[in-house]
Amino acid sequence: MKRIALFLLTNIAVVAVLGIVASLLGVNRFLTANGLNLGALLGFAFIMGFGGAIISLLISKPMAKWTSGVHVINEPRSADEAWIVNTVRGFAEKAGIGMPEVGIYEGEPNAFATGAFKNSALVAVSTGLLEGMTREEVEAVIGHEVAHIANGDMVTMTLIQGVMNTFVVFLSRVIGYAVDSFLRKNDENSSGPGIGYYVTTIVLDILLGFVAAMIVAWFSRQREFRADAGAAQLMGNRQPMMNALARLGGMHPGELPKSVAAMGIAGGIGKLFSTHPPIEERIAALQNAR
């Protein structure tokens, strides 16, 4: 409940900030007496689309720590914590990235990487993962998360989300204006947008939002294959990653906050909207890799 409330409040705050920015820049006044100002609308769509995605990326690390209850390992308090930190350090050096922060959180088997920049990211693993896997399998999962960082997946997914958001905002308002103009073409006394504009825009925001989510999820699934291959390359052996995936297939994957779900090791249900491919497809891709 806390996570959902926090997610909603964060989104409301982001939208409010973007609305103020759009107002200050004057791009929110795209509906004029002379019709639709496409330049202003594109500026508005760009701010609302990319602004939200970029803000979410910038606050992803502190939000992930807060919502998941991540304990960041500043000074290892046990041999296990020291091993996790050293494993992340070794992979980071091999991948050519800065040392990420390393953390542990309570939960079912899962792990994630997040952060706006390659050289200041966060890798976190759950207690369920540490308790339910061999060290070699945990190492493979950590390699998978480091590969996400090295591949720049957080930034790439933000850019894709921004493009999709921009198209949704732009197209829904263009089509909404066209529908409203058609419905009121014989009304000479009409001024400003009518109910047709608002209804069409709201409906299309929802429908096009679903389409955008499917496209973003498809890109995310491709990134998972790359991260699996990256883990195998970092370890110099694909078998540990295959073993880790096989074991995860028999586990109940822990639910991650929405802000980091796309970078987790285990995915959800629903093929079109799933950010992760099925476990068996990922194992097959590793088996067939050259």
Side-chain angles (χ1 to χ4, degrees):
M1 192 64 186
K2 173 190 168 185
R3 289 180 182 177
I4 295 172
L6 193 59
F7 176 75
L8 291 174
L9 287 173
T10 302
N11 277 272
I12 290 169
V14 168
V15 170
V17 169
L18 294 177
I20 292 169
V21 171
S23 180
L24 291 173
L25 295 176
V27 294
N28 62 333
R29 295 186 284 274
F30 49 84
L31 286 171
T32 68
N34 298 320
L36 194 63
N37 183 330
L38 292 177
L41 174 58
L42 186 57
F44 175 79
F46 184 85
I47 288 173
M48 299 302 288
F50 274 92
I54 290 171
I55 290 173
S56 295
L57 175 65
L58 292 175
I59 66 174
S60 61
K61 193 163 72 166
M63 284 292 289
K65 290 178 184 177
W66 191 12
T67 56
S68 293
V70 175
H71 158 65
V72 176
I73 306 173
N74 295 315
E75 291 291 336
R77 298 177 300 185
S78 66
D80 285 341
E81 288 190 358
W83 174 78
I84 295 167
V85 171
N86 289 333
T87 300
V88 173
R89 180 180 288 111
F91 283 148
E93 289 173 357
K94 279 186 182 179
I97 61 172
M99 177 63 181
E101 285 188 276
V102 183
I104 299 175
Y105 64 98
E106 295 286 336
E108 299 291 334
N110 220 320
F112 66 84
T114 191
F117 308 102
K118 280 187 180 183
N119 294 324
S120 60
L122 166 71
V123 172
V125 296
S126 72
T127 52
L129 194 79
L130 297 172
E131 292 164 2
M133 284 191 169
T134 67
R135 278 205 167 186
E136 188 179 55
E137 290 164 352
V138 173
E139 193 176 356
V141 171
I142 292 173
H144 173 98
E145 301 308 334
V146 171
H148 269 312
I149 300 169
N151 293 339
D153 286 348
M154 284 75 81
V155 173
T156 303
M157 292 304 296
T158 297
L159 293 176
I160 293 168
Q161 186 69 65
V163 169
M164 292 296 102
N165 291 346
T166 300
F167 272 110
V168 169
V169 173
F170 185 81
L171 288 177
S172 65
R173 280 147 185 81
V174 168
I175 297 171
Y177 180 80
V179 169
D180 191 57
S181 299
F182 175 78
L183 293 175
R184 302 199 302 165
K185 61 182 177 181
N186 296 321
D187 185 0
E188 297 179 357
N189 298 320
S190 65
S191 61
I195 189 68
Y197 170 81
Y198 292 109
V199 171
T200 304
T201 298
I202 291 170
V203 170
L204 286 178
D205 274 344
I206 295 170
L207 293 179
L208 292 176
F210 276 115
V211 175
M214 286 189 282
I215 294 172
V216 171
W218 182 85
F219 275 102
S220 179
R221 291 195 292 273
Q222 308 317 303
R223 296 284 165 186
E224 288 305 310
F225 289 122
R226 283 190 60 196
D228 288 342
Q233 186 175 5
L234 287 170
M235 294 195 71
N237 183 1
R238 73 184 79 167
Q239 194 60 50
M241 189 70 235
M242 291 165 59
N243 292 344
L245 288 170
R247 192 179 294 273
L248 278 168
M251 290 178 168
H252 175 65
E255 183 183 358
L256 292 176
K258 293 180 185 294
S259 58
V260 299
M263 296 304 140
I265 185 66
I269 359 179
K271 179 79 172 175
L272 291 177
F273 294 97
S274 177
T275 56
H276 292 62
I279 293 289
E280 58 272 17
E281 287 186 19
R282 295 169 65 180
I283 294 174
L286 283 170
Q287 286 174 331
N288 297 328
R290 294 182 179 179

